[in-house]
Amino acid sequence: MILGKENVTYPYILRKISLLLTPVILWAIFEFIVKLITRREFINPVQIGAGFLVQKGLFSQFWFIGALIIVQLVAPILNRLLRDHWTAFRVLLLAFGVVCLVVMFSSYYIRYPVAKSVIQTFRLWTWFFYFMMGAWLRRTQHASDLSRNTRLFLFVFIVLVVQMGALVSSVLLRNGYAEYDYDSLFVMLAVLLLMLQYSRVITLGRSDLISRFVHHFAANTMGIFIIHVVVLKIVLRVLPNFEPNFVPIIILIVFIVSDLVASGLQKVPFLSRMVSID
C-alpha cells in the first residue's frame, strides 16, 4: 500500500509507473509484429499501447493500468493529506463515496448504467474511493480477532453479497457486465469487509495442497487477467455456437488455458514481464 508511507515521492511513483507500463509496451510490440506479418499493417506501437490504456484494441483490459497510473500520480498529494490533514482526507474519501452511491442509485432509477458514458480508465471517483478506503482502514486499524468459523462465515457472506449485487444490477440495469457493479453498495460493503479481514481470511487453516493452489493462482492472477481475453476470443472462434448451458465450461476452459499460458511465460525471464507488474 502506497498511502501511509513516510515519504511518497514522484521519483518513487515514476519507477512504479514504469513497471506498470512494461507489460503494456511488450504486448503493444507483440500486436505490432503480428499485424505487420499477418496483415502487412504498420501501426505505431506507441499508438497501440496508448489505445490499450484507454480501453481500445485487443488488450483493452489494460484500461486498469491507465486508471492506476492516474491514481498513482495523485498518490503523493493524497499521502500528504493522509499524514498531515487527516480530516480533509476523510472528507474527500466521503465525497468520493457519495459520488459512487449517486452513480449507483441514479443508474437504478433510470434503469441504465450512468457510468457507461465514461470509459473505465476515467471512472476515477470509483478508483480513488477504493484506493483511499484501503488507506483509511490501515490508518484506523479497524480489524478484529475473529474465530476460524466466523472468518469462514464472513468469507461466504462476502461472496453472497457480491452475487446479490450482481443479481440486482442485472435486473435493474438489464446488463450483466461486472464493470457497472463497482459503485454498488453491495460491492462496496463486500470490499470493506474483505479489507477488514483479508489477512485473517487468507490464513485460514488449510492443507499443503490447497496452500500451493492459493499461492500459484495468487502469483498468476495478473497473467490470467491479461491472457484470458485472447484465449476467450480463440475459444469463441472454435466454438461459435455453444449452448448457454455450456458457459460454465467455457469459463473453466478459458481460466485453465490462461493459467497454463501465464505459467509458461512466467518461466521465461524476459517474457515474464508480459504477465507481471511487479
Side-chain angles (χ1 to χ4, degrees):
M1 184 67 183
I2 293 176
L3 298 185
K5 291 182 178 293
E6 185 173 345
N7 193 19
V8 179
T9 64
Y10 275 104
Y12 168 75
I13 292 298
L14 291 176
R15 284 195 298 271
K16 291 189 68 66
I17 289 176
S18 68
L19 292 175
L20 291 172
L21 286 174
T22 299
V24 178
I25 294 170
L26 292 177
W27 284 110
I29 293 173
F30 171 79
E31 183 173 336
F32 163 76
I33 293 173
V34 170
K35 286 187 175 181
L36 185 63
I37 295 175
T38 60
R39 303 181 186 177
R40 299 294 188 271
E41 289 184 41
F42 184 92
I43 303 177
N44 190 332
V46 175
Q47 180 183 345
I48 296 174
F52 291 166
L53 297 177
V54 291
Q55 208 170 344
K56 294 179 180 179
L58 180 61
F59 291 91
S60 59
Q61 67 270 34
F62 279 130
W63 66 261
F64 85 94
I65 287 184
L68 192 53
I69 288 173
I70 296 173
V71 171
Q72 299 263 330
L73 288 172
V74 183
I77 299 173
L78 294 178
N79 194 59
R80 177 168 292 186
L81 286 179
L82 175 66
R83 295 180 61 83
D84 302 330
H85 305 281
W86 178 228
T87 300
F89 183 89
R90 287 181 291 176
V91 170
L92 186 59
L93 170 62
L94 179 62
F96 282 127
V98 170
V99 174
C100 289
L101 293 178
V102 168
V103 170
M104 180 195 73
F105 286 120
S106 299
S107 299
Y108 287 173
Y109 180 74
I110 66 175
R111 300 295 183 92
Y112 180 84
V114 172
K116 191 172 184 178
S117 59
V118 181
I119 64 172
Q120 293 188 76
T121 307
F122 300 122
R123 294 175 195 170
L124 297 175
W125 61 88
T126 306
W127 316 140
F128 276 120
F129 172 73
Y130 286 114
F131 185 63
M132 294 175 67
M133 183 169 69
W136 171 71
L137 289 172
R138 184 180 180 185
R139 167 74 178 262
T140 54
Q141 296 182 341
H142 286 306
S144 57
D145 245 347
L146 301 177
S147 67
R148 181 175 180 273
N149 289 337
T150 304
R151 284 178 283 164
L152 181 58
F153 170 79
L154 178 62
F155 181 76
V156 174
F157 177 71
I158 290 171
V159 173
L160 292 177
V161 166
V162 173
Q163 294 304 314
M164 185 182 301
L167 179 61
V168 170
S169 291
S170 65
V171 173
L172 294 181
L173 304 183
R174 302 182 181 90
N175 195 304
Y177 290 105
E179 67 179 88
Y180 302 122
D181 291 335
Y182 301 148
D183 293 323
S184 167
L185 189 61
F186 295 100
V187 175
M188 291 167 66
L189 174 62
V191 171
L192 176 61
L193 292 173
L194 194 58
M195 284 182 175
L196 285 172
Q197 294 297 331
Y198 78 97
S199 62
R200 292 160 177 79
V201 171
I202 64 175
T203 54
L204 289 172
R206 54 180 178 249
S207 67
D208 290 340
L209 179 61
I210 297 299
S211 293
R212 289 176 185 173
F213 274 112
V214 170
H215 287 294
H216 170 80
F217 291 122
N220 273 12
T221 297
M222 181 56 60
I224 293 171
F225 178 74
I226 294 172
I227 297 294
H228 86 279
V229 173
V230 177
V231 174
L232 179 60
K233 288 181 181 294
I234 295 173
V235 170
L236 293 180
R237 182 168 295 182
V238 174
L239 303 171
N241 299 313
F242 64 88
E243 293 291 329
N245 292 334
F246 288 106
V247 168
I249 297 177
I250 297 297
I251 293 174
L252 183 61
I253 291 173
V254 171
F255 178 81
I256 292 174
V257 174
S258 300
D259 178 64
L260 291 173
V261 174
S263 297
L265 291 175
Q266 287 276 19
K267 291 179 171 34
V268 182
F270 177 73
L271 296 182
S272 65
R273 302 302 306 160
M274 299 180 76
V275 290
S276 174
I277 57 175
D278 296 328

